Amino acid sequence: MTFTETKLKGCFILEPKIIKDERGYFMESFNEKTFQEGIGQKVTFVQDNQSFSTRGVLRGLHYQSGEHAQAKLVRVLQGEVLDVAVDLRPNSETYGQYEAVLLSSENQKQFFVPRGFAHGFLVLSETATFFYKCDNFYNKESEGGLIYNDETVNINWDFPVKDLIISEKDQVLPNLQNAKKVW
């Protein structure tokens, strides 16, 4: 597995070694030892989540704060998404900046998003099955979010706004200036 750190310190793109033959392919999608060596820290995942969505669905940008903050290792099992992480760490040199990664069942890339980031994704294919590991359990009282079209962050979703499908909850998330502090 290849680990590439992004411009956002602590965020990594993971590319597995895929062994293909006439039967199909084989890959190791997760190995705790390899993963921890690759990102240079110990992360223990405690919860797996999966969602299914259709083209144009934008989920996010979400995070949990305080002692319930979550790191996530995300991947796409079927389809294609634009996956986005926004740095909300107040003392970070890249505070308010984002990283966008194309994840698909074709490229088999994964994206590690550490604690202190808002996270979301946009489905680009007709349907997508999205899978992620979390290093902390969900806690409703600690959840927060950042509006997908925040002018300060200025994410390039490269998708027609009129075709986006966004939950009512996600349509009223605050901008960066008013978002709950992650730490």
Side-chain angles (χ1 to χ4, degrees):
M1 180 141 340
T2 303
F3 293 78
T4 305
E5 189 166 25
T6 70
K7 68 182 179 193
L8 305 178
K9 187 169 177 54
C11 286
F12 288 85
I13 298 169
L14 289 66
E15 296 182 65
K17 178 180 179 184
I18 301 172
I19 301 165
K20 296 181 181 182
D21 65 19
E22 66 279 354
R23 300 169 296 166
Y25 73 88
F26 172 84
M27 67 176 218
E28 186 175 79
S29 63
F30 181 77
N31 176 302
E32 183 179 62
K33 183 176 186 251
T34 303
F35 177 75
Q36 291 178 2
E37 288 173 358
I39 66 166
Q41 62 177 303
K42 182 176 175 148
V43 175
T44 303
F45 295 109
V46 298
Q47 180 176 321
D48 286 351
N49 298 318
Q50 185 169 317
S51 69
F52 176 84
S53 305
T54 57
R55 179 175 171 78
V57 168
L58 193 155
R59 295 183 184 262
L61 301 155
H62 304 139
Y63 60 87
Q64 288 197 180
S65 60
E67 67 183 271
H68 299 287
Q70 292 179 323
K72 297 175 181 175
L73 179 60
V74 303
R75 64 188 288 226
V76 171
L77 301 177
Q78 174 271 317
E80 180 178 76
V81 308
L82 181 66
D83 197 76
V84 174
V86 179
D87 191 347
L88 298 180
R89 301 170 298 180
N91 297 323
S92 171
E93 292 178 5
T94 55
Y95 174 80
Q97 294 181 32
Y98 76 95
E99 184 71 40
V101 180
L102 187 66
L103 302 178
S104 72
S105 53
E106 290 294 316
N107 69 24
Q108 296 289 347
K109 290 181 181 179
Q110 297 181 59
F111 190 32
F112 175 67
V113 181
R115 293 179 179 197
F117 286 77
H119 172 261
F121 65 91
L122 170 64
V123 178
L124 303 174
S125 52
E126 287 307 308
T127 63
T129 304
F130 189 81
F131 177 86
Y132 59 106
K133 296 179 163 303
C134 299
D135 78 335
N136 209 347
F137 297 105
Y138 172 74
N139 180 274
K140 183 167 181 52
E141 291 73 37
S142 299
E143 71 179 346
L146 177 67
I147 191 73
Y148 75 96
N149 61 355
D150 179 272
E151 292 180 4
T152 304
V153 180
N154 196 27
I155 297 169
N156 179 7
W157 294 101
D158 195 26
F159 199 88
V161 174
K162 66 178 181 51
D163 295 335
L164 292 175
I165 303 167
I166 305 170
S167 72
E168 288 182 31
K169 177 180 165 185
D170 288 354
Q171 290 180 41
V172 296
L173 291 173
N175 62 17
L176 182 63
Q177 182 179 346
N178 297 313
K180 180 176 18 172
K181 299 303 177 211
V182 175
W183 301 112

